[in-house]
Amino acid sequence: MLPKIHPLKRYLSKIRLPLLPAAALVTLATLAAPLAAQAGGALERIRANGVIRIANTQSSPPWSFLNEQNQPAGYDVDMAREVARRMGIPKVEFVADSFKNFVAGLKTDKYDLVMNDLTPTPERMLQVDFSAPYGVEDFRIFVRQDNKDIHGDKDLAGKRIGVTTGSSNESWSRAHLPQATIQTYENGSLIFADLGIGRIDAVIISHFGGLRYATERKLPIKEVGDPLTYQLSAAALRKGEPELREAVDKAIAGMKADGTIEALGRKWVGKEYDMVGSIARAEAEAK
């Protein structure tokens, strides 16, 4: 006696899937290609697309700002373009963002790298990776020209201090100036505007950035006291992308060796500024 076959099984056995024409198979393969590329590492995807997305504030001279043609310019901008060129990537797409968003922007794939005077602090290193350092700066106090009360950090107790939101100068100020009122701003332009009209008493910002604002905008401000801290800057990237980090490190090492970093430092930061030597001194001090 033959076994009974369930009616549903008998129905399914009669179904025949149509054979796909060759053109449809090609289309499916084409659609699958981007998905296969996404399975690779960041560096592989970037090279395949020919574009790398690099974030900067475009409002923190001399590191990144918009020039008279409304195009990104500055030390970090030139560094980013040269790093991309040495990695074999023909196009850089600059993405404007603020310091407070950089870590989240990397983690959500808004951009591939951040290159904007970003310090590899322990807090940031828990969330993103950093390349070898390619820049360094010292942070100073800036006040109005007519200010006669503030001469150094000991005079900042009870004062209103302007800093950039999410920046190293904000974290340093909160850690070292507990008796001051810390006022945060999205960019340096707003900070110095408020300093000029007396809404805040002082600004803590990089020596280079502060002098650049004062010179370009003809602001009645001055720098007071000794450097508060020295901080290295490096490219930030998502965790788990060792090939991309190694490629960036290789480009930076080559630029140090052939004088490119020194030349860019003197172009954007100061004709007498020793960028490579300053990086080495800051690294030695951090050990």
Side-chain angles (χ1 to χ4, degrees), residues 147 149-150 155-161 179-182 200-202:
N147 186 294
D149 300 326
I150 299 175
D155 302 317
L156 295 178
K159 303 297 185 182
R160 299 162 299 174
I161 312 300
Q179 296 180 339
T181 299
I182 308 301
I200 54 178
D201 303 302

Side-chain angles (χ1 to χ4, degrees), residues 23 28-29 47 72 85 108 117 123 136 143 167 190 194 220 231 286:
L28 287 174
R47 283 178 170 159
R85 187 189 71 79
T108 56
D117 189 34
E123 295 79 13
V136 66
V143 297
S167 66
L190 299 175
D194 272 10
Q231 295 179 348

Side-chain angles (χ1 to χ4, degrees), residues 94-164:
F94 289 108
V95 182
D97 213 334
S98 59
F99 278 100
K100 69 177 183 179
N101 294 332
F102 281 156
V103 170
L106 282 169
K107 294 170 75 173
T108 56
D109 196 31
K110 188 176 180 181
Y111 24 78
D112 305 301
L113 295 176
V114 174
M115 293 185 69
N116 194 113
D117 189 34
L118 193 65
T119 303
T121 63
E123 295 79 13
R124 288 172 180 155
M125 292 171 70
L126 290 174
Q127 302 185 69
V128 297
D129 284 338
F130 285 87
S131 71
Y134 64 83
V136 66
E137 62 177 319
D138 56 325
F139 285 79
R140 302 288 189 97
I141 302 168
F142 287 84
V143 297
R144 284 169 52 102
Q145 285 283 2
D146 57 4
N147 186 294
K148 301 185 186 307
D149 300 326
I150 299 175
H151 306 284
D153 59 320
K154 290 183 171 57
D155 302 317
L156 295 178
K159 303 297 185 182
R160 299 162 299 174
I161 312 300
V163 296
T164 307

Side-chain angles (χ1 to χ4, degrees), residues 62-65 73-86 115 134-136 208 212 251-252 254-256 258-276 279:
W63 313 110
S64 78
F65 59 96
Y75 178 79
D76 284 276
V77 172
D78 278 3
M79 280 291 305
R81 289 188 174 120
E82 183 63 14
V83 165
R85 187 189 71 79
R86 294 184 185 222
M115 293 185 69
Y134 64 83
V136 66
F208 314 115
R212 182 83 176 229
I252 290 171
M255 294 168 75
K256 280 184 181 179
D258 66 18
T260 301
I261 286 181
E262 198 67 38
L264 292 179
R266 293 183 179 182
K267 173 184 175 181
W268 291 109
V269 179
K271 293 181 179 178
E272 304 302 320
Y273 191 70
D274 177 14
M275 182 67 78
V276 173
I279 291 172

